[in-house]
Amino acid sequence: MALDAAVVSSDPFSPPADSTLWRRDFLLGAATASYQIEGAVNEDGRLPSIWDTFSATPGKVLAGDTGALACDHYHRWESDFDLLSALNVDGYRLSIAWPRVMDEAGRPNRKGIDFYKRLVARLREKGLKVFVTLYHWDLPQYLEDRGGWLNRDIVYRFAQYADLMSRELEGQVDAWATLNEPWCSAFLGYGNGHHAPGLTNGRYATQAMHHLLLAHGRAVEVLRANDPGSLKGIVANVGKGSANTGSAADAHAAHLFEVQHNAWVLDPLLKKSYPQDLFELWPGTEPLVLEGDMETIGTPLDFLGINYYFRTNVKSDGAHGFTEVPLQGVERTQMGWEVYPDGLRDLLIGFNESYPSLPPIYITENGMASDDKVIDGRVNDEQRISFLKRHLAAVDSAIKAGVDVRGYFIWSLMDNFEWAYGYERRFGVIHVDYETQERTFKRSAELIAKFLEERNARA
């Protein structure tokens, strides 16, 4: 569906005068992830990851695309950081590629570590806040060969990795996130096979999730010991569910959608228990939980990262679950996802009410894909401009309703490898020509930079 012209204004990014976004202490940043932009998968001692394996498997990724080159950020990071500076953002969220910094025996790979040390040092030179994610899905393949997130031993391997990187970057990182979107790693990787490693078993998904969250808890303990001056947290993707009709059955279906999408992750972290409704939805999939596990998983957080993209409309399947019913006549992105900013506001307010121990929140990803093209040297991405403006307004509304949201990261800094969708779906505010690697500021980037320049001048 085309964007309604009514949502595009003549000044399409600057927020109202009373918006939180004008506050200098509200962090506005941009985000990326290692496998999606770096390329150089065989250089300087980097080992294969599960996404190297998965994307090289015919039929797994659209058009047979892989991350072998991606945005060639491994070689172009200095000029990419100049673009980041031109965007005038306050911070940058990046991830470290686990296969790039350790070998199979757990020994440090100095060339890989030094790459990230250079990145972090340059970001600090530029005065940017540095948010580092330890795991954004690129698990070393040798660990998957041993069972991956199904093998409890991975908890200790992840703690070892967290120990190495937090010692190497001590005092240089403002905020550490242990995991990005464990829901995707567990469900898409082990439940429905849409992501690497491509397994399809409900019990696998819940056991993988348990080990992911347990690894998170262990890593927080390590990070807290090694780098006490930084924030420690985790990033969860959340989704809004709506009922197809006013029936009790459909209302329960929408509830179950949010249980499996949100509470499956947030309840263990913030309540130290799994939601029992999850096992109504997926009977017989309870993970093996050992004594002390939930205490470790529930280790207090300094912040919670929230990634939000869309709403899902569902109806009861007549049994113990739900079926998606796409709404007609709604605005959608290139991904086919409904644009629904109110969902972000409602979820934030709901979490604030449901979790008394809710830590401060950063929106660590929010953005949209569109089929952007360079025409006469320009990229006019009006829908993205409107999308970002409306979602930032939703965040502002949540803050005014009492939710402690301290920042927002646009996904993404640049177009990149979009996992199972390859290079077709473009999320960046900077356009990347994948044949020439030329970067072009989209109109959204120009307006973001303009707003932030004005905000900074007011400070």
Side-chain angles (χ1 to χ4, degrees):
M1 176 179 178
L3 177 63
D4 188 335
V7 301
V8 181
S9 70
S10 58
D11 184 12
F13 198 80
S14 294
D18 66 342
S19 172
T20 307
L21 307 183
W22 288 107
R23 279 185 6 212
R24 194 64 181 86
D25 62 347
F26 185 85
L27 187 152
L28 280 163
T32 62
S34 52
Y35 190 74
Q36 293 181 268
I37 65 169
E38 286 179 1
V41 295
N42 298 313
E43 291 189 40
D44 293 338
R46 181 191 179 277
L47 300 179
S49 79
I50 57 174
W51 271 95
D52 295 312
T53 303
F54 189 76
S55 61
T57 304
K60 296 298 186 182
V61 175
L62 194 64
D65 292 336
T66 77
L69 178 60
C71 304
D72 196 29
H73 180 71
Y74 190 76
H75 300 111
R76 301 170 185 265
W77 66 270
E78 293 179 274
S79 56
D80 284 342
F81 280 7
D82 289 341
L83 293 173
L84 183 66
S85 293
L87 199 57
N88 293 325
V89 290
D90 308 313
Y92 181 60
R93 178 179 172 236
L94 71 151
S95 75
I96 293 170
W98 191 350
R100 202 179 286 286
V101 298
M102 299 179 83
D103 70 9
E104 191 167 345
R107 293 176 298 230
N109 175 28
R110 182 51 52 191
K111 288 184 178 180
I113 293 169
D114 287 347
F115 169 70
Y116 293 108
K117 294 182 84 166
R118 289 193 296 272
L119 263 60
V120 169
R122 182 63 56 84
L123 292 169
R124 293 182 67 82
E125 287 174 10
K126 291 176 175 291
L128 295 172
K129 295 291 186 182
V130 181
F131 279 58
V132 172
T133 303
L134 284 171
Y135 183 68
H136 201 128
W137 306 354
D138 41 0
L139 184 71
Q141 181 61 46
Y142 67 82
L143 287 175
E144 181 58 36
D145 293 342
R146 300 172 189 170
W149 292 107
L150 300 177
N151 182 347
R152 190 179 173 95
D153 180 66
I154 201 169
V155 174
Y156 308 102
R157 303 287 75 77
F158 188 69
Q160 181 185 32
Y161 164 50
D163 178 62
L164 171 65
M165 295 314 303
S166 57
R167 284 187 286 105
E168 292 286 348
L169 294 174
E170 178 188 0
Q172 305 299 303
V173 173
D174 293 284
W176 292 94
T178 53
L179 308 174
N180 179 76
E181 300 185 349
W183 185 92
C184 292
S185 297
F187 185 75
L188 300 182
Y190 292 86
N192 73 1
H194 185 62
H195 280 186
L199 303 182
T200 55
N201 183 297
R203 177 63 188 276
Y204 286 177
T206 56
Q207 193 63 57
M209 177 66 82
H210 185 67
H211 291 156
L212 281 154
L213 296 179
L214 189 59
H216 150 78
R218 294 282 188 203
V220 169
E221 295 169 355
V222 170
L223 294 167
R224 194 153 278 143
N226 288 354
D227 194 14
S230 61
L231 301 176
K232 292 85 182 171
I234 189 173
V235 171
N237 59 303
V238 299
K240 181 65 180 171
S242 63
N244 192 51
T245 71
S247 72
D250 282 1
H252 187 60
H255 164 73
L256 290 177
F257 171 85
E258 292 196 7
V259 164
Q260 63 85 27
H261 211 87
N262 305 334
W264 184 19
V265 176
L266 298 183
D267 276 17
L269 293 170
L270 302 174
K271 293 183 176 179
K272 301 181 182 180
S273 63
Y274 288 106
Q276 286 308 301
D277 287 358
L278 182 68
F279 306 114
E280 171 193 337
L281 181 64
W282 298 330
T285 64
E286 294 85 344
L288 175 64
V289 178
L290 302 185
E291 184 177 356
D293 282 2
M294 301 313 295
E295 284 295 319
T296 298
I297 290 171
T299 299
L301 302 170
D302 298 322
F303 76 95
L304 174 65
I306 291 291
N307 295 354
Y308 173 82
Y309 289 98
F310 59 94
R311 173 176 69 165
T312 302
N313 189 64
V314 299
K315 69 176 183 179
S316 171
D317 66 359
H320 301 288
F322 57 82
T323 302
E324 183 176 351
V325 184
L327 293 170
Q328 301 301 308
V330 299
E331 181 189 347
R332 296 188 180 277
T333 71
Q334 188 190 21
M335 296 291 289
W337 297 342
E338 182 191 0
V339 177
Y340 190 69
D342 287 352
L344 177 55
R345 178 201 62 206
D346 294 346
L347 286 170
L348 291 172
I349 293 172
F351 296 154
N352 203 40
E353 294 170 348
S354 300
Y355 298 107
S357 61
L358 187 70
I361 288 172
Y362 287 88
I363 307 304
T364 35
E365 287 183 27
N366 182 235
M368 60 155 287
S370 56
D371 186 18
D372 301 319
K373 294 178 172 61
V374 180
I375 300 174
D376 296 329
R378 302 293 299 277
V379 182
N380 187 13
D381 55 339
E382 285 191 341
Q383 187 183 14
R384 178 174 293 104
I385 295 163
S386 176
F387 180 103
L388 294 173
K389 181 178 179 180
R390 286 178 284 161
H391 282 80
L392 283 163
V395 172
D396 183 55
S397 294
I399 293 170
K400 289 172 178 173
V403 186
D404 187 3
V405 184
R406 300 190 179 180
Y408 174 101
F409 289 84
I410 298 163
W411 186 268
S412 174
L413 174 65
M414 67 184 83
D415 297 334
N416 54 53
F417 177 79
E418 185 46 41
W419 308 111
Y421 294 99
Y423 295 102
E424 183 186 81
R425 315 295 166 92
R426 293 180 175 272
F427 276 88
V429 294
I430 296 174
H431 182 277
V432 178
D433 182 318
Y434 296 115
E435 292 187 5
T436 66
Q437 292 296 331
E438 182 178 0
R439 274 69 157 150
T440 303
F441 257 41
K442 300 179 186 179
R443 180 63 175 154
S444 58
E446 294 170 354
L447 291 171
I448 291 162
K450 178 183 176 183
F451 158 63
L452 288 172
E453 182 178 34
E454 182 179 353
R455 185 207 64 177
N456 295 343
R458 292 186 182 187

